[in-house]
Amino acid sequence: MPDHPIDEPRLHENSQTVSLSFEGRLIQSCMNLAKPDELVLDYTRAMMGALLFNPSPRRVLMIGLGGGSMLKYLHRHLPESDLTTVEISQPVIDFRQAFLIPPDDERHRIVCADGAQFVRQPPQRYDLILVDGFDGRGIPDALCSRGFYQHVRAALTADGLMVANVQAETSQARLIRQRIGKAFDQQCFAIESEEGGNDLVTAANDRTVFDATLADFEARWQALDAVHRETLGESAGAIAHALRRAGAAGPP
């Protein structure tokens, strides 16, 4: 069970979009009705930067469902990937039809569970773990402790990656970056989302993943599917800059 009551999610609809918030606060997820698989929010597009390091992860774990934006994007564009999404709030999951999230099938499932508890004893290891768990107060303590990030690292494959969405320019964000750095032996870097407001921290189980990507960045970029290059936009340049600045090994 969560360490505090979970805010009730709220659905907002108009002729163009469907969005999700908690207790009327900031929008957590948004869907364009004309393009339901499109990543509308800039931070979700930036999180797809993980595909520069591994364009076809076999197993992906997402902690936090929201409106299912990243789940739908990966489900459509990575047909060979096995996708597990862990969401603690059943009311959020109950909005899946409003957000046109496909039903569970043999390669994709939504699990109603505490993400922090899930990674303590994961059923398998993952090539990519996306952490995007927020409630009305921000990131729950259970999803940003040093112990949580240690469990996440242990749940990754040898060359696996974690990408975590962190609110930018807050004391909590700075503390979270420090915790990630310690849990991953400083094998991490951070970029800011295109429009600001979110830091996206990428951490590697093995630093050679960063070294290889930096050494061959342009070729990896050109090899990406066109839809991923369009999605990443300015984020790819920010990732390359962050890797060069950190020497592919420094702290975020």
Side-chain angles (χ1 to χ4, degrees):
M1 295 296 292
D3 53 9
H4 56 69
I6 302 172
D7 291 331
E8 286 298 313
R10 296 184 178 182
L11 198 66
H12 311 272
E13 301 178 80
N14 58 41
S15 61
Q16 296 179 316
T17 65
V18 178
S19 57
L20 176 74
S21 71
F22 289 98
E23 299 299 328
R25 301 187 185 188
L26 293 175
I27 295 299
Q28 301 287 335
S29 191
C30 183
M31 178 181 72
N32 180 349
L33 287 168
K35 299 178 180 179
D37 297 330
E38 181 182 61
L39 293 174
V40 175
L41 300 183
D42 61 323
Y43 85 86
T44 60
R45 297 193 296 271
M47 291 184 78
M48 292 302 103
L51 299 178
L52 281 162
F53 302 92
N54 184 351
S56 54
R58 289 180 56 200
R59 294 177 296 273
V60 180
L61 171 64
M62 287 164 276
I63 297 178
L65 172 66
S69 299
M70 290 188 289
L71 167 56
K72 289 187 296 181
Y73 183 89
L74 295 176
H75 188 267
R76 177 174 179 178
H77 299 297
L78 297 182
E80 302 303 318
S81 296
D82 183 87
L83 310 172
T84 300
T85 307
V86 178
E87 169 58 53
I88 195 171
S89 170
Q90 185 61 50
V92 168
I93 297 174
D94 291 342
F95 284 141
R96 67 185 297 168
Q97 289 186 326
F99 284 100
L100 304 180
I101 297 172
D104 289 8
D105 56 33
E106 66 280 357
R107 69 179 189 90
H108 131 73
R109 67 214 55 87
I110 297 173
V111 180
C112 186
D114 184 326
Q117 294 181 8
F118 187 91
V119 295
R120 289 175 190 164
Q121 293 183 308
Q124 58 186 345
R125 290 194 173 189
Y126 301 91
D127 302 298
L128 174 61
I129 297 179
L130 301 173
V131 182
D132 187 26
F134 281 77
D135 59 23
R137 286 173 284 273
I139 304 175
D141 292 342
L143 294 182
C144 62
S145 68
R146 184 177 177 184
F148 168 71
Y149 295 119
Q150 289 172 330
H151 289 135
V152 167
R153 185 176 186 182
L156 289 170
T157 55
D159 56 355
L161 288 176
M162 177 199 75
V163 184
N165 175 27
V166 180
Q167 290 175 317
E169 300 303 323
T170 67
S171 58
Q172 184 194 40
R174 290 187 288 274
L175 180 60
I176 289 173
R177 291 195 296 268
Q178 291 172 2
R179 290 172 177 170
I180 293 174
K182 290 179 180 178
F184 283 84
D185 298 325
Q186 307 304 330
Q187 296 163 176
C188 51
F189 68 88
I191 65 168
E192 191 173 13
S193 58
E194 296 172 27
E195 299 171 14
N198 297 82
D199 278 350
L200 295 316
V201 182
T202 300
N205 211 350
D206 184 338
R207 65 159 289 174
T208 59
V209 174
F210 288 167
D211 294 337
T213 301
L214 182 59
D216 200 25
F217 195 90
E218 182 60 27
R220 287 172 180 259
W221 171 252
Q222 294 299 331
L224 278 181
D225 288 347
V227 65
H228 300 320
R229 294 200 302 271
E230 182 178 356
T231 294
L232 285 172
E234 297 178 4
S235 298
I239 291 170
H241 178 72
L243 285 173
R244 287 193 296 267
R245 185 180 60 214

